Amino acid sequence: MSLKRRINLRNTLAFRLTLWYAGIFTVSSCVAFLLFYTLVTSFIRERTDQELLSQVNRFSTLLAAEGVEAVKGAAVIEAQAAGVKKVFFRFLSLNGQAFSSSNMSYWKDILIDEMALRELLGGSSHVFETIAIRDRREEVRILYAVISPSIILQVGQTMESYSRFLDAFKGIFITTMTFLILLAAGVGWFMARRAVSGVEAVTRTAQKISGGTLEERVPVKTRGDEIDQLATTFNQMLDRIQTLLTEIKEISDNIAHDLRSPITRIRGIAEVTITTGKSLNDYENMAASTIEECDRLLDMINTMLMISKTESGVDKLLHEEIDLTALAQEACELFRPTAEDKGVSLSCNVPKVSHFIGDTQMIQRMISNLLDNAIKYTPSGGSVTVSIIDNDTDVVVSVKDTGGGISSNDLSRIFERFYRCDQSRSQPGIGLGLSLARAIARAHGGEITVTSNLDQGSTFTVILPKSQPHPS
Ligand code: ADP
């Protein structure tokens, strides 16, 4: 493994998580072991001390009952019965002189502790001490106790079981801890890798995307955990970015395409006038046509901007109480002359009152666009009806015509920017009216739908909910 790779591994989150996990696990295991060790050793010590004390009690009772010779004999027998390498008894006078004992050949190195004697003479009933014997591994627990006004008993008991336990404990501790630390590191590594694998997948996808493939998505497992949520959110963000980029591309393609025609026309008019125009009239006509084309261009650009702002919510819509009935009637009156000129009958089927909270100008613009289309795409003799149905929860505005209708192929595309059906190309228009109408309806929390049959007419319906979190 190269140095760079080793450094990289050390910097990884998985490695640090594993270290933490193994560290915490090791410390807690050590604490548990230590606690267990303390409990067991103090239990063993306590039991030894109890045994020594009960020996002393028995000897002092025997001394009181049967005299010193009986006690001396009992000490020898007792030590032999328990094992001369396990226990010893030594009787001392108050000045520390030993005058009798059990077999002390194994315990010759054990001296009499002056300090303990002084403590006893000072009034203590007994004194414990633990001493280590030279060249031997075990320790000895010793008890000094006054068993009569002139006799001190020194009892010693080997702590061999204690040492054995300590050895066994050390062995078990080292083996178990090694196994546990390895297990903790293994489990920690596995868990950390599992946890960060999702993050790595997100990183890999992000890297691929920065390399130019926006179609990449992070695979989502079905665990439903935080990593899945991250992946899902990341994918949703990518979907949104991709849609926006596609839209931006489409819009810029459309703008490039749709701006080219009027600019080409303006250039053509100017060129023809310069090369052939002789009179002031020719130049006046050129100026008039140029103004007309420029107006078209401005209208297109302004409408585009309005759609973008309405869709993105950059411009906050007004929050006004709108009298929809009056608004629809005004729109009908405005378009009536156009309809009459075309021989199209226009009727307005609205309730007495219909109120809605929204942006008056925007709603006006939406109804006008629908009405304008209905009259524009309905031949002479046809009819157009604007109606409003005011429900408790929403207001439904519809514009119905008996015009040429829209084919099912076109129906799904007419709300796209700049989309125009083939049969409509003879009519004036830039293909943005319905896009704007839909943006306005959606900005008010509503939706616009259309039903249409070729040669039978179309109905555009806008549903505007009354309880909406609008205007956006
Ligand atoms: P335009 O400026 O072309 O009218 P719109 O976005 O308003 O742009 O409409 C898009 C296309 O939808 C129109 O070009 C037309 O083909 C079709 N359309 C819209 N309204 C109607 C209608 N009432 N009847 C038939 N076709 C319609």
Side-chain angles (χ1 to χ4, degrees):
M1 200 188 285
S2 70
L3 180 68
K4 188 168 172 254
R5 187 149 162 65
R6 239 182 296 147
I7 291 169
N8 283 346
L9 180 71
R10 260 191 241 152
N11 285 343
T12 58
L13 188 62
F15 183 75
R16 275 180 280 157
L17 279 175
T18 309
L19 272 193
W20 271 102
Y21 185 79
I24 291 172
F25 196 80
T26 310
V27 170
S28 8
S29 307
C30 280
V31 170
F33 261 105
L34 217 69
L35 211 70
F36 177 69
Y37 173 79
T38 317
L39 277 175
V40 172
T41 50
S42 68
F43 173 74
I44 293 176
R45 259 173 209 281
E46 203 127 295
R47 235 185 54 181
T48 313
D49 290 356
Q50 289 298 331
E51 275 172 23
L52 292 173
L53 276 174
S54 72
Q55 300 270 27
V56 167
N57 284 340
R58 273 195 298 118
F59 277 94
S60 58
T61 316
L62 190 65
L63 181 67
E66 298 182 25
V68 73
E69 287 310 316
V71 174
K72 283 182 192 171
V76 175
I77 295 166
E78 187 102 349
Q80 261 171 358
V84 287
K85 289 186 178 178
K86 289 207 161 64
V87 188
F88 73 86
F89 300 92
R90 190 151 54 181
F91 298 96
L92 313 170
S93 57
L94 291 186
N95 62 6
Q97 280 297 313
F99 60 88
S100 177
S101 71
S102 59
N103 184 348
M104 290 296 285
S105 53
Y106 186 73
W107 307 103
K108 7 185 218 301
D109 289 340
I110 293 183
L111 304 173
I112 291 151
D113 187 355
E114 301 280 329
M115 290 269 290
L117 292 183
R118 247 178 276 138
E119 252 187 77
L120 287 180
L121 295 178
S124 299
S125 64
H126 58 265
V127 176
F128 279 107
E129 69 176 12
T130 306
I131 58 168
I133 307 171
R134 219 169 355 111
D135 304 331
R136 280 198 225 150
R137 290 196 60 235
E138 84 220 69
E139 289 183 326
V140 187
R141 186 76 170 154
I142 294 176
L143 170 63
Y144 293 85
V146 180
I147 56 170
S148 85
S150 59
I151 301 173
I152 293 170
L153 174 60
Q154 183 195 30
V155 197
Q157 186 172 323
T158 177
M159 299 280 281
E160 198 195 352
S161 60
Y162 179 80
S163 307
R164 268 210 311 273
F165 166 76
L166 211 66
D167 287 347
F169 185 84
K170 271 184 204 154
I172 291 172
F173 177 77
I174 291 169
T175 321
T176 317
M177 279 314 285
T178 314
F179 173 73
L180 283 182
I181 290 171
L182 289 177
L183 183 76
V187 172
W189 179 252
F190 172 74
M191 279 167 47
R193 293 287 319 144
R194 209 172 125 91
V196 298
S197 66
V199 181
E200 283 174 352
V202 175
T203 312
R204 272 197 303 276
T205 310
Q207 278 165 348
K208 280 187 195 157
I209 288 166
S210 60
T213 47
L214 198 60
E215 285 75 29
E216 282 293 330
R217 291 292 178 273
V218 183
V220 181
K221 311 244 168 59
T222 45
R223 292 199 296 255
D225 55 14
E226 291 87 343
I227 300 292
D228 269 1
Q229 282 169 18
L230 171 71
T232 311
T233 313
F234 188 73
N235 287 345
Q236 282 168 352
M237 186 188 75
L238 289 178
D239 288 345
R240 178 92 183 105
I241 291 174
Q242 199 174 14
T243 313
L244 284 177
L245 283 180
T246 315
E247 271 178 22
I248 288 169
K249 193 179 170 308
E250 267 174 25
I251 290 170
S252 45
D253 285 354
N254 287 335
I255 289 178
H257 178 263
D258 283 76
L259 284 185
R260 198 181 294 141
S261 320
I263 291 171
T264 312
R265 274 200 300 277
I266 292 170
R267 194 184 177 285
I269 295 164
E271 201 174 10
V272 169
T273 313
I274 283 172
T275 48
T276 61
K278 302 280 183 293
S279 62
L280 179 65
N281 198 26
D282 290 337
Y283 284 99
E284 279 176 354
N285 284 342
M286 179 193 79
S289 305
T290 308
I291 289 171
E292 208 176 288
E293 291 295 347
C294 284
D295 283 349
R296 249 173 77 82
L297 275 175
L298 278 176
D299 184 35
M300 186 193 293
I301 291 166
N302 286 338
T303 313
M304 279 295 303
L305 277 177
M306 195 183 275
I307 294 172
S308 299
K309 283 180 180 174
T310 312
E311 278 181 351
S312 63
V314 172
D315 277 0
K316 294 271 171 276
L317 296 185
L318 295 179
H319 202 181
E320 310 160 310
E321 170 134 2
I322 307 172
D323 182 350
L324 268 181
T325 299
L327 208 73
Q329 281 166 340
E330 276 166 28
C332 286
E333 288 322 305
L334 197 73
F335 280 90
R336 196 169 299 287
T338 319
E340 277 169 6
D341 284 353
K342 238 193 129 180
V344 172
S345 81
L346 176 60
S347 50
C348 199
N349 186 6
V350 292
K352 279 205 184 77
V353 274
S354 173
H355 289 289
F356 178 72
I357 306 289
D359 190 311
T360 314
Q361 257 195 348
M362 287 291 188
I363 299 288
Q364 212 164 27
R365 182 85 193 250
M366 181 185 74
I367 295 176
S368 299
N369 281 2
L370 296 179
L371 203 47
D372 183 39
N373 278 351
I375 296 169
K376 196 161 63 176
Y377 300 117
T378 301
S380 175
S383 67
V384 171
T385 312
V386 179
S387 22
I388 292 177
I389 301 170
D390 194 326
N391 297 315
D392 287 345
T393 52
D394 49 36
V395 189
V396 183
V397 182
S398 53
V399 179
K400 181 177 181 344
D401 66 62
T402 58
I406 305 162
S407 74
S408 54
N409 281 347
D410 289 328
L411 217 50
S412 57
R413 302 201 57 194
I414 52 171
F415 292 102
E416 290 173 17
R417 290 183 184 90
F418 296 108
Y419 189 80
R420 305 197 73 208
C421 307
D422 283 341
Q423 74 268 21
S424 318
R425 294 203 181 269
S426 54
Q427 298 285 349
I430 51 174
L432 290 175
L434 287 180
S435 305
L436 181 59
R438 185 172 70 173
I440 294 172
R442 286 185 176 173
H444 284 83
E447 192 50 275
I448 182 167
T449 52
V450 56
T451 50
S452 185
N453 286 311
L454 270 181
D455 300 324
Q456 286 177 26
S458 319
T459 306
F460 286 84
T461 310
V462 184
I463 301 177
L464 298 169
K466 286 183 175 172
S467 58
Q468 29 161 329
H470 79 83
S472 61

